[in-house]
Amino acid sequence: MADTSERLSLPYLMPAQAQKHVTHNEALQRLDLLVQLAVESFDANTPPSLPQAGEVHALGSSPTAAWAGHADELAAWIEGNWHFVVPQEGWQALDKSSGALRRRAADAWVEVSVPDLTDLPGVGINAGHNSGNRLTVSSPATLLNHEGAGHQLKLNKAGTGDTASLLFQTDWSGRAEMGTAGADDFSIKVSADGSTWTTALAFDAATGMASGMALTQSTEDTTVGRLLRVGDFGIGADAGPVVTDLDAHLLSGSYSSYGGAHAQAPAGANPFSTLDGVFGLLCGNSTLGDQNAYIWQIAIGLDTPGLAFRVRASGAWGSWQRLWSGANTTVDANGFVKEASPIVRLFCGTCEEPAVPLNAQFERQALGQYTLTNVPPLASKGWQIEVPQDANGNRLVYVDCTYDAANGALHVRTSKVIWQDSWAAGEPCDIPEGRWVDLRFGMPTR
């Protein structure tokens, strides 16, 4: 039997050996040196002047002084003497000066390198990976932190028709997905079973415009939970939804009572004798489904500017109530308030349009003769002409008009007032200074 062990050369206790503790302690001393080996320096050739107990050095090729003759060995300071051990292939030692781990190989100490982690077939953290999921993490959370500034998570796909997305699952069945799935438009999709999917919201890659089931689908879509698009219920639109029955329309928002075509007035027609109207609906103190709720409709005339309202109570609409303002009334030359459609004030040397502009063109032809062009005929209902009067109510001028439909021109003649069995036109005269004649026209056709 050999006296020492094969690898660490530990001395064996021999049969009938005297002072066996000496051999045993020598073996322990050698184990104390080599187990969890930590080295003060590598390639050392000069012994330190004041070595510390248990200090170990890996000697170089040309050691001197007390280390002479022990090239490439390990030198340990034990009980005031240097003890030497020949290292074997595969031994590992920690370099205490750098923290690096070294391994004995081919008569040299080489640094143990970090394993190469590039081009791995897969990585599983607390789980196994496969060909479809080459990185698998099983953890309560995953942290991707910045390194000094921001941090980006990049999902790259090969082409437009491919998918780059985040998929959210329940028991391995998809429930929500966000990203560029099958297109470059960004979308958010949801599913209740993992097989039927609904695009809740999508953004066009070129325009940024939104679409999807989370938005209202028509101008009058009242589905609870949907987001209101610009244009629906007239919000931000030139005109709101076309309504054919105002009596039955109980939804809040702005809307048009007639379409672009000059159609026949629908049920619940607006209070204006016009072809078009825009309305706003305000709901009162209850839900839309409560027929007893108070609901207000406000009508705004287009062709005849004006404002009116009506109230629905106990399931029935009240009558329209028109509001009078400067848009649908005028103060005539005598100070009276009168109902107005487009009004032109005719002066001796000019004309004014205080309510609704017609862009009438004025020309004085001669004494008491005036022409207005670019005008419709005088109103067919209600009053047409109001002339200035004196303090006793006597007319200051007599007015006679003829309309040239072919040229859209109204010819006006003013004369002194005479009596010939009735009031009649006398000699021509101009409209008195500071006074005017009110001419009320019909609504222009579109």
Side-chain angles (χ1 to χ4, degrees), residues 332-357:
D332 67 16
N334 304 299
F336 294 101
V337 177
K338 291 178 177 270
E339 181 180 359
S341 53
I343 302 292
V344 172
R345 290 179 173 179
L346 184 64
F347 294 85
C348 176
T350 186
C351 68
E352 291 182 358
E353 302 178 55
V356 180

PDB file of all heavy atoms in Angstrom, residues 332-357:
ATOM      1  N   ASP A 332     -88.232  99.284 -37.995  1.00  0.00           N
ATOM      2  CA  ASP A 332     -88.441  99.977 -39.264  1.00  0.00           C
ATOM      3  C   ASP A 332     -88.127 101.464 -39.143  1.00  0.00           C
ATOM      4  O   ASP A 332     -87.691 101.944 -38.092  1.00  0.00           O
ATOM      5  CB  ASP A 332     -89.867  99.735 -39.782  1.00  0.00           C
ATOM      6  CG  ASP A 332     -90.944 100.379 -38.915  1.00  0.00           C
ATOM      7  OD1 ASP A 332     -90.606 101.259 -38.098  1.00  0.00           O
ATOM      8  OD2 ASP A 332     -92.112  99.996 -39.065  1.00  0.00           O
ATOM      9  N   ALA A 333     -88.353 102.169 -40.213  1.00  0.00           N
ATOM     10  CA  ALA A 333     -88.001 103.594 -40.273  1.00  0.00           C
ATOM     11  C   ALA A 333     -88.804 104.426 -39.291  1.00  0.00           C
ATOM     12  O   ALA A 333     -88.439 105.570 -38.996  1.00  0.00           O
ATOM     13  CB  ALA A 333     -88.225 104.116 -41.691  1.00  0.00           C
ATOM     14  N   ASN A 334     -89.886 103.856 -38.755  1.00  0.00           N
ATOM     15  CA  ASN A 334     -90.730 104.592 -37.829  1.00  0.00           C
ATOM     16  C   ASN A 334     -90.572 104.118 -36.385  1.00  0.00           C
ATOM     17  O   ASN A 334     -91.329 104.522 -35.503  1.00  0.00           O
ATOM     18  CB  ASN A 334     -92.192 104.480 -38.257  1.00  0.00           C
ATOM     19  CG  ASN A 334     -92.381 104.950 -39.689  1.00  0.00           C
ATOM     20  OD1 ASN A 334     -92.110 106.108 -40.003  1.00  0.00           O
ATOM     21  ND2 ASN A 334     -92.806 104.046 -40.561  1.00  0.00           N
ATOM     22  N   GLY A 335     -89.584 103.192 -36.151  1.00  0.00           N
ATOM     23  CA  GLY A 335     -89.294 102.748 -34.802  1.00  0.00           C
ATOM     24  C   GLY A 335     -90.081 101.542 -34.354  1.00  0.00           C
ATOM     25  O   GLY A 335     -90.025 101.175 -33.176  1.00  0.00           O
ATOM     26  N   PHE A 336     -90.837 100.903 -35.248  1.00  0.00           N
ATOM     27  CA  PHE A 336     -91.615  99.728 -34.878  1.00  0.00           C
ATOM     28  C   PHE A 336     -90.803  98.446 -35.108  1.00  0.00           C
ATOM     29  O   PHE A 336     -90.052  98.337 -36.085  1.00  0.00           O
ATOM     30  CB  PHE A 336     -92.918  99.655 -35.696  1.00  0.00           C
ATOM     31  CG  PHE A 336     -93.866 100.780 -35.394  1.00  0.00           C
ATOM     32  CD1 PHE A 336     -93.963 101.862 -36.247  1.00  0.00           C
ATOM     33  CD2 PHE A 336     -94.637 100.750 -34.241  1.00  0.00           C
ATOM     34  CE1 PHE A 336     -94.832 102.908 -35.970  1.00  0.00           C
ATOM     35  CE2 PHE A 336     -95.508 101.808 -33.961  1.00  0.00           C
ATOM     36  CZ  PHE A 336     -95.602 102.894 -34.822  1.00  0.00           C
ATOM     37  N   VAL A 337     -90.971  97.463 -34.208  1.00  0.00           N
ATOM     38  CA  VAL A 337     -90.331  96.157 -34.358  1.00  0.00           C
ATOM     39  C   VAL A 337     -91.207  95.295 -35.237  1.00  0.00           C
ATOM     40  O   VAL A 337     -92.401  95.121 -34.965  1.00  0.00           O
ATOM     41  CB  VAL A 337     -90.117  95.475 -32.991  1.00  0.00           C
ATOM     42  CG1 VAL A 337     -89.510  94.090 -33.176  1.00  0.00           C
ATOM     43  CG2 VAL A 337     -89.221  96.322 -32.102  1.00  0.00           C
ATOM     44  N   LYS A 338     -90.630  94.743 -36.279  1.00  0.00           N
ATOM     45  CA  LYS A 338     -91.390  93.923 -37.223  1.00  0.00           C
ATOM     46  C   LYS A 338     -90.648  92.612 -37.475  1.00  0.00           C
ATOM     47  O   LYS A 338     -89.424  92.538 -37.386  1.00  0.00           O
ATOM     48  CB  LYS A 338     -91.574  94.651 -38.570  1.00  0.00           C
ATOM     49  CG  LYS A 338     -92.486  95.851 -38.508  1.00  0.00           C
ATOM     50  CD  LYS A 338     -92.554  96.498 -39.871  1.00  0.00           C
ATOM     51  CE  LYS A 338     -93.525  97.671 -39.826  1.00  0.00           C
ATOM     52  NZ  LYS A 338     -94.879  97.256 -40.161  1.00  0.00           N
ATOM     53  N   GLU A 339     -91.427  91.579 -37.800  1.00  0.00           N
ATOM     54  CA  GLU A 339     -90.830  90.300 -38.183  1.00  0.00           C
ATOM     55  C   GLU A 339     -90.023  90.495 -39.455  1.00  0.00           C
ATOM     56  O   GLU A 339     -90.417  91.249 -40.344  1.00  0.00           O
ATOM     57  CB  GLU A 339     -91.926  89.250 -38.405  1.00  0.00           C
ATOM     58  CG  GLU A 339     -91.381  87.875 -38.785  1.00  0.00           C
ATOM     59  CD  GLU A 339     -92.475  86.858 -39.000  1.00  0.00           C
ATOM     60  OE1 GLU A 339     -93.665  87.205 -38.837  1.00  0.00           O
ATOM     61  OE2 GLU A 339     -92.143  85.706 -39.334  1.00  0.00           O
ATOM     62  N   ALA A 340     -88.879  89.806 -39.515  1.00  0.00           N
ATOM     63  CA  ALA A 340     -87.988  90.030 -40.653  1.00  0.00           C
ATOM     64  C   ALA A 340     -87.535  88.715 -41.255  1.00  0.00           C
ATOM     65  O   ALA A 340     -87.298  87.743 -40.562  1.00  0.00           O
ATOM     66  CB  ALA A 340     -86.767  90.835 -40.218  1.00  0.00           C
ATOM     67  N   SER A 341     -87.480  88.732 -42.554  1.00  0.00           N
ATOM     68  CA  SER A 341     -86.620  87.820 -43.295  1.00  0.00           C
ATOM     69  C   SER A 341     -85.513  88.740 -43.795  1.00  0.00           C
ATOM     70  O   SER A 341     -85.253  89.744 -43.159  1.00  0.00           O
ATOM     71  CB  SER A 341     -87.422  87.118 -44.394  1.00  0.00           C
ATOM     72  OG  SER A 341     -88.089  88.059 -45.201  1.00  0.00           O
ATOM     73  N   PRO A 342     -84.844  88.502 -44.870  1.00  0.00           N
ATOM     74  CA  PRO A 342     -83.811  89.450 -45.308  1.00  0.00           C
ATOM     75  C   PRO A 342     -84.387  90.851 -45.557  1.00  0.00           C
ATOM     76  O   PRO A 342     -85.338  91.017 -46.308  1.00  0.00           O
ATOM     77  CB  PRO A 342     -83.287  88.818 -46.599  1.00  0.00           C
ATOM     78  CG  PRO A 342     -83.522  87.363 -46.403  1.00  0.00           C
ATOM     79  CD  PRO A 342     -84.816  87.265 -45.658  1.00  0.00           C
ATOM     80  N   ILE A 343     -83.812  91.821 -44.884  1.00  0.00           N
ATOM     81  CA  ILE A 343     -84.286  93.210 -44.960  1.00  0.00           C
ATOM     82  C   ILE A 343     -83.183  94.066 -45.583  1.00  0.00           C
ATOM     83  O   ILE A 343     -82.015  93.937 -45.237  1.00  0.00           O
ATOM     84  CB  ILE A 343     -84.621  93.768 -43.569  1.00  0.00           C
ATOM     85  CG1 ILE A 343     -85.678  92.905 -42.877  1.00  0.00           C
ATOM     86  CG2 ILE A 343     -85.082  95.219 -43.654  1.00  0.00           C
ATOM     87  CD1 ILE A 343     -87.029  92.960 -43.516  1.00  0.00           C
ATOM     88  N   VAL A 344     -83.568  94.937 -46.492  1.00  0.00           N
ATOM     89  CA  VAL A 344     -82.656  95.933 -47.040  1.00  0.00           C
ATOM     90  C   VAL A 344     -83.207  97.316 -46.706  1.00  0.00           C
ATOM     91  O   VAL A 344     -84.380  97.607 -46.975  1.00  0.00           O
ATOM     92  CB  VAL A 344     -82.478  95.777 -48.564  1.00  0.00           C
ATOM     93  CG1 VAL A 344     -81.671  96.942 -49.126  1.00  0.00           C
ATOM     94  CG2 VAL A 344     -81.808  94.458 -48.894  1.00  0.00           C
ATOM     95  N   ARG A 345     -82.372  98.126 -46.086  1.00  0.00           N
ATOM     96  CA  ARG A 345     -82.731  99.513 -45.830  1.00  0.00           C
ATOM     97  C   ARG A 345     -82.255 100.357 -47.001  1.00  0.00           C
ATOM     98  O   ARG A 345     -81.068 100.455 -47.259  1.00  0.00           O
ATOM     99  CB  ARG A 345     -82.110 100.010 -44.534  1.00  0.00           C
ATOM    100  CG  ARG A 345     -82.711  99.390 -43.283  1.00  0.00           C
ATOM    101  CD  ARG A 345     -82.023  99.901 -42.038  1.00  0.00           C
ATOM    102  NE  ARG A 345     -82.687  99.455 -40.821  1.00  0.00           N
ATOM    103  CZ  ARG A 345     -82.283  99.743 -39.590  1.00  0.00           C
ATOM    104  NH1 ARG A 345     -81.187 100.508 -39.434  1.00  0.00           N
ATOM    105  NH2 ARG A 345     -82.946  99.306 -38.542  1.00  0.00           N
ATOM    106  N   LEU A 346     -83.201 100.986 -47.689  1.00  0.00           N
ATOM    107  CA  LEU A 346     -82.884 101.768 -48.879  1.00  0.00           C
ATOM    108  C   LEU A 346     -82.833 103.244 -48.497  1.00  0.00           C
ATOM    109  O   LEU A 346     -83.837 103.835 -48.085  1.00  0.00           O
ATOM    110  CB  LEU A 346     -83.934 101.520 -49.958  1.00  0.00           C
ATOM    111  CG  LEU A 346     -83.697 102.204 -51.304  1.00  0.00           C
ATOM    112  CD1 LEU A 346     -82.421 101.673 -51.961  1.00  0.00           C
ATOM    113  CD2 LEU A 346     -84.905 101.993 -52.221  1.00  0.00           C
ATOM    114  N   PHE A 347     -81.657 103.830 -48.622  1.00  0.00           N
ATOM    115  CA  PHE A 347     -81.452 105.253 -48.371  1.00  0.00           C
ATOM    116  C   PHE A 347     -81.380 105.988 -49.711  1.00  0.00           C
ATOM    117  O   PHE A 347     -81.372 105.368 -50.779  1.00  0.00           O
ATOM    118  CB  PHE A 347     -80.173 105.491 -47.578  1.00  0.00           C
ATOM    119  CG  PHE A 347     -80.210 104.948 -46.177  1.00  0.00           C
ATOM    120  CD1 PHE A 347     -79.879 103.619 -45.936  1.00  0.00           C
ATOM    121  CD2 PHE A 347     -80.568 105.760 -45.111  1.00  0.00           C
ATOM    122  CE1 PHE A 347     -79.899 103.113 -44.649  1.00  0.00           C
ATOM    123  CE2 PHE A 347     -80.595 105.254 -43.828  1.00  0.00           C
ATOM    124  CZ  PHE A 347     -80.264 103.920 -43.580  1.00  0.00           C
ATOM    125  N   CYS A 348     -81.252 107.298 -49.645  1.00  0.00           N
ATOM    126  CA  CYS A 348     -81.176 108.087 -50.873  1.00  0.00           C
ATOM    127  C   CYS A 348     -79.916 107.759 -51.667  1.00  0.00           C
ATOM    128  O   CYS A 348     -79.942 107.685 -52.892  1.00  0.00           O
ATOM    129  CB  CYS A 348     -81.227 109.575 -50.537  1.00  0.00           C
ATOM    130  SG  CYS A 348     -81.019 110.671 -51.962  1.00  0.00           S
ATOM    131  N   GLY A 349     -78.800 107.520 -50.931  1.00  0.00           N
ATOM    132  CA  GLY A 349     -77.553 107.326 -51.662  1.00  0.00           C
ATOM    133  C   GLY A 349     -76.893 105.986 -51.432  1.00  0.00           C
ATOM    134  O   GLY A 349     -75.783 105.741 -51.929  1.00  0.00           O
ATOM    135  N   THR A 350     -77.542 105.081 -50.686  1.00  0.00           N
ATOM    136  CA  THR A 350     -76.932 103.780 -50.418  1.00  0.00           C
ATOM    137  C   THR A 350     -77.995 102.824 -49.898  1.00  0.00           C
ATOM    138  O   THR A 350     -79.190 103.166 -49.844  1.00  0.00           O
ATOM    139  CB  THR A 350     -75.803 103.910 -49.380  1.00  0.00           C
ATOM    140  OG1 THR A 350     -75.148 102.658 -49.252  1.00  0.00           O
ATOM    141  CG2 THR A 350     -76.335 104.341 -48.024  1.00  0.00           C
ATOM    142  N   CYS A 351     -77.538 101.624 -49.499  1.00  0.00           N
ATOM    143  CA  CYS A 351     -78.448 100.659 -48.876  1.00  0.00           C
ATOM    144  C   CYS A 351     -77.692  99.923 -47.779  1.00  0.00           C
ATOM    145  O   CYS A 351     -76.460  99.838 -47.788  1.00  0.00           O
ATOM    146  CB  CYS A 351     -79.022  99.674 -49.891  1.00  0.00           C
ATOM    147  SG  CYS A 351     -77.812  98.512 -50.581  1.00  0.00           S
ATOM    148  N   GLU A 352     -78.427  99.384 -46.797  1.00  0.00           N
ATOM    149  CA  GLU A 352     -77.851  98.613 -45.704  1.00  0.00           C
ATOM    150  C   GLU A 352     -78.627  97.317 -45.536  1.00  0.00           C
ATOM    151  O   GLU A 352     -79.830  97.259 -45.846  1.00  0.00           O
ATOM    152  CB  GLU A 352     -77.899  99.406 -44.391  1.00  0.00           C
ATOM    153  CG  GLU A 352     -76.976 100.599 -44.337  1.00  0.00           C
ATOM    154  CD  GLU A 352     -77.056 101.301 -42.989  1.00  0.00           C
ATOM    155  OE1 GLU A 352     -77.852 100.855 -42.141  1.00  0.00           O
ATOM    156  OE2 GLU A 352     -76.325 102.297 -42.802  1.00  0.00           O
ATOM    157  N   GLU A 353     -77.936  96.313 -45.023  1.00  0.00           N
ATOM    158  CA  GLU A 353     -78.573  95.021 -44.759  1.00  0.00           C
ATOM    159  C   GLU A 353     -78.313  94.663 -43.297  1.00  0.00           C
ATOM    160  O   GLU A 353     -77.354  93.965 -42.982  1.00  0.00           O
ATOM    161  CB  GLU A 353     -78.000  93.944 -45.681  1.00  0.00           C
ATOM    162  CG  GLU A 353     -78.176  94.298 -47.153  1.00  0.00           C
ATOM    163  CD  GLU A 353     -77.563  93.242 -48.079  1.00  0.00           C
ATOM    164  OE1 GLU A 353     -77.927  92.061 -47.950  1.00  0.00           O
ATOM    165  OE2 GLU A 353     -76.715  93.624 -48.893  1.00  0.00           O
ATOM    166  N   PRO A 354     -79.120  95.140 -42.359  1.00  0.00           N
ATOM    167  CA  PRO A 354     -78.809  94.981 -40.938  1.00  0.00           C
ATOM    168  C   PRO A 354     -79.042  93.589 -40.377  1.00  0.00           C
ATOM    169  O   PRO A 354     -78.516  93.255 -39.330  1.00  0.00           O
ATOM    170  CB  PRO A 354     -79.760  95.986 -40.274  1.00  0.00           C
ATOM    171  CG  PRO A 354     -80.914  96.081 -41.211  1.00  0.00           C
ATOM    172  CD  PRO A 354     -80.333  95.938 -42.583  1.00  0.00           C
ATOM    173  N   ALA A 355     -79.845  92.764 -40.996  1.00  0.00           N
ATOM    174  CA  ALA A 355     -80.176  91.452 -40.418  1.00  0.00           C
ATOM    175  C   ALA A 355     -79.474  90.340 -41.173  1.00  0.00           C
ATOM    176  O   ALA A 355     -78.439  89.835 -40.753  1.00  0.00           O
ATOM    177  CB  ALA A 355     -81.687  91.244 -40.421  1.00  0.00           C
ATOM    178  N   VAL A 356     -80.019  89.950 -42.304  1.00  0.00           N
ATOM    179  CA  VAL A 356     -79.457  88.848 -43.077  1.00  0.00           C
ATOM    180  C   VAL A 356     -78.897  89.400 -44.381  1.00  0.00           C
ATOM    181  O   VAL A 356     -79.635  89.962 -45.182  1.00  0.00           O
ATOM    182  CB  VAL A 356     -80.520  87.776 -43.374  1.00  0.00           C
ATOM    183  CG1 VAL A 356     -79.920  86.647 -44.182  1.00  0.00           C
ATOM    184  CG2 VAL A 356     -81.114  87.256 -42.079  1.00  0.00           C
ATOM    185  N   PRO A 357     -77.618  89.296 -44.620  1.00  0.00           N
ATOM    186  CA  PRO A 357     -77.050  89.900 -45.829  1.00  0.00           C
ATOM    187  C   PRO A 357     -77.446  89.157 -47.092  1.00  0.00           C
ATOM    188  O   PRO A 357     -77.443  87.936 -47.147  1.00  0.00           O
ATOM    189  CB  PRO A 357     -75.532  89.808 -45.589  1.00  0.00           C
ATOM    190  CG  PRO A 357     -75.371  88.654 -44.666  1.00  0.00           C
ATOM    191  CD  PRO A 357     -76.580  88.658 -43.790  1.00  0.00           C
TER     192      PRO A 357
END
